[in-house]
Amino acid sequence: MTLDPSRLRPATRLVHGGVQRSHHGETAEALFLTSGYVYDDAEQAEATFAGTVEHYQYSRFANPTLTMLEQRLSLIEGAEDCRTTATGMAAVNAALLSHLKAGDRVVAARALFGSCHWIVSTLLPKFGIETEFVDGADLGQWKAALSRPANLVLLETPSNPMLELVDLPAVAELAHAAGAIVVVDNVFATPLLQQPLKLGADVVVYSCTKHMDGQGRVLGGAVLGTKKWINDVLQPFIRNTGPALSPFNAWVLLKGIETLALRVDAACRTAAAIADFLAEQPGVTRVWYPMRADHPQQDLALKQMTGGGTVVTFEVAGGKDGAFRVMNGFQLIAVSNNLGDSKSLATHPATTTHMRIGEQERARLGITDGVIRVSIGLEDPADIQDDLRQAVAGLAGAASVLAAD
Ligand SMILES: *Cc1c(COP(=O)(O)O)cnc(C)c1O
């Protein structure tokens, strides 16, 4: 009674993928909270280290609970292999540092998660790696930057917080012609809404902290790619530098991922409705959501994504004061820089997540002082809408009072 998991549909893979039952026949995935493993005898230990028998050695290299998670993620992504890490940033760092060496060249989209931006702009140049940023939505800039040889391209699509898209097949073609591998941070899309490997990317990275846990409990990361790249390039780096995910957190993620399709589906539907609702509110000057007709890259969104995602970004009148008034008016939505949670969370990027990149870079990315990012949760959509309505109404009221003065 064996089932070929590659024949299963995504929601089923999320529940059954990678399950390896112990001799106890447990229903739920077992938590192997162990750092080491014992061998039957000295010969088995010798053979394990020689690589002639398969046996777990040490949880810095591999652990059965992590293996289940890695196989489930590979199945859902359509990737040959996967390694998990303690955080999303450890995943990005491992993918980059394992592949690059002094003298190499990296081209990255400017609209990156803050810490990814720091690795490219600050860390890599310290080791003699040349880096260049381009506007991710501008194919002309990619073409110019990749007219010279390069080794790695890093991008995020949709981007945080402005939900700007990068044309994955077009950039992958340019990158490959320049000799570079393409690493995609797919956090905002999740593997359910966009599969970068099928669109030409070579490596996909995740912060599992976001939608995969989805309930705000644990940190985690994942890197997915070909078996060859994972084994030859990434695995030695992970094995020897130790960004290992805790088995406990891997177990929490395995259970979280079982409901990923249900949660992302529900949050996406609510997000699309909230984006339309916000666009109608006086005091809201602009809304960004990938599938909306007024998104400058709607065609691209329809081509490479199957849903707009769980995040809605909007701008209110009145700059920072207006945005703070709205954020402080929320009764249900919490002020938090996290995202991909069951609870709806709002952040003011200009003063928090994107404070460090400076005013000039924020202006280039379109992050004005009135911009608010909302990560839509699993509450009843009507309650989220009610909260936004009353918070934004406060803004219109204040504006008319000011105008009357
Ligand atoms: C959160 C996030 C990361 C970093 O992940 P951590 O788990 O917080 O280390 C990287 N990229 C994107 C797009 C993110 O949202």
Side-chain angles (χ1 to χ4, degrees):
M1 204 191 65
T2 45
L3 200 56
D4 173 9
S6 65
R7 285 181 40 222
L8 300 173
R9 291 158 186 84
T12 315
R13 292 183 185 192
L14 290 167
V15 179
H16 288 272
V19 171
Q20 289 176 34
R21 294 201 164 92
S22 80
H23 62 286
H24 294 301
E26 64 281 354
T27 314
E29 295 73 1
L31 167 53
F32 290 93
L33 202 54
T34 182
S35 46
Y37 305 86
V38 296
Y39 305 95
D40 293 340
D41 45 39
E43 284 77 10
Q44 193 186 36
E46 182 186 34
T48 300
F49 274 74
T52 54
V53 304
E54 270 199 40
H55 195 292
Y56 285 97
Q57 286 169 273
Y58 190 49
S59 287
R60 170 149 49 76
F61 318 160
N63 169 286
T65 306
L66 269 68
T67 303
M68 287 192 263
L69 175 61
E70 288 162 353
Q71 291 187 359
R72 186 169 293 178
L73 290 174
S74 299
L75 262 176
I76 196 69
E77 192 70 42
E80 286 180 13
D81 212 348
C82 170
R83 287 295 177 276
T84 50
T85 54
T87 66
M89 283 322 304
V92 173
N93 189 52
L96 267 52
L97 289 187
S98 66
H99 190 81
L100 295 166
K101 62 180 186 312
D104 279 357
R105 183 165 173 267
V106 171
V107 178
R110 191 180 304 289
L112 287 180
F113 184 75
S115 294
C116 300
H117 195 279
W118 182 86
I119 288 180
V120 173
S121 65
T122 308
L123 183 68
L124 296 181
K126 271 184 31 176
F127 297 98
I129 295 160
E130 187 193 335
T131 65
E132 180 177 343
F133 285 106
V134 297
D135 291 340
D138 185 345
L139 265 184
Q141 289 193 26
W142 284 109
K143 226 171 256 172
L146 292 168
S147 62
R148 284 200 293 135
N151 304 85
L152 189 145
V153 161
L154 176 66
L155 62 93
E156 194 184 314
T157 179
S159 71
N160 173 33
M162 302 315 293
L163 307 178
E164 179 185 276
L165 308 189
V166 177
D167 187 333
L168 285 170
V171 170
E173 198 183 323
L174 291 168
H176 293 154
I181 64 160
V182 177
V183 180
V184 175
D185 183 337
N186 203 39
V187 165
F188 272 55
T190 81
L192 298 171
L193 306 180
Q194 174 176 276
Q195 301 200 308
L197 298 177
K198 294 198 176 81
L199 297 165
D202 303 285
V203 174
V204 176
V205 290
Y206 285 102
S207 166
C208 301
T209 316
K210 310 295 164 53
H211 304 86
M212 290 182 183
D213 172 32
Q215 288 145 88
R217 299 165 296 191
V218 299
L219 296 163
V223 186
L224 298 113
T226 62
K227 247 187 186 6
K228 183 169 168 45
W229 186 84
I230 298 270
N231 277 325
D232 297 353
V233 179
L234 184 73
Q235 177 67 13
F237 183 91
I238 286 189
R239 178 186 174 111
N240 294 300
T241 64
L245 178 64
S246 147
F248 180 78
N249 290 358
W251 178 80
V252 172
L253 287 169
L254 270 166
K255 302 315 286 176
I257 284 173
E258 289 186 338
T259 56
L260 182 69
L262 293 171
R263 290 182 287 100
V264 168
D265 237 45
C268 269
R269 256 183 285 119
T270 308
I274 291 291
D276 292 344
F277 166 78
L278 281 169
E280 299 297 314
Q281 302 308 299
V284 172
T285 46
R286 204 168 155 195
V287 173
W288 289 265
Y289 190 70
M291 293 290 176
R292 271 178 61 83
D294 61 359
H295 191 286
Q297 298 161 295
Q298 187 201 22
D299 288 350
L300 182 57
L302 291 168
K303 229 167 53 190
Q304 67 185 26
M305 299 178 75
T306 54
T310 64
V311 172
V312 179
T313 299
F314 64 104
E315 183 190 55
V316 296
K320 180 182 166 185
D321 285 351
F324 273 34
R325 193 183 294 272
V326 171
M327 306 250 310
N328 292 337
F330 289 140
Q331 294 166 357
L332 177 70
I333 299 170
V335 176
S336 171
N337 48 282
N338 203 3
L339 63 95
D341 198 306
S342 47
K343 296 177 171 61
S344 290
L345 306 173
T347 190
H348 183 246
T351 53
T352 60
T353 53
H354 290 71
M355 179 258 288
R356 275 179 221 289
I357 63 170
E359 203 175 329
Q360 198 183 343
E361 193 70 356
R362 277 199 299 280
R364 295 183 81 148
L365 294 173
I367 306 172
T368 65
D369 286 350
V371 164
I372 298 173
R373 181 194 80 191
V374 183
S375 167
I376 300 296
L378 301 178
E379 301 92 343
D380 189 307
D383 285 327
I384 302 175
Q385 190 162 312
D386 285 350
D387 198 34
L388 281 161
R389 183 187 291 109
Q390 63 81 24
V392 171
L395 178 80
S400 60
V401 169
L402 285 176
D405 278 349

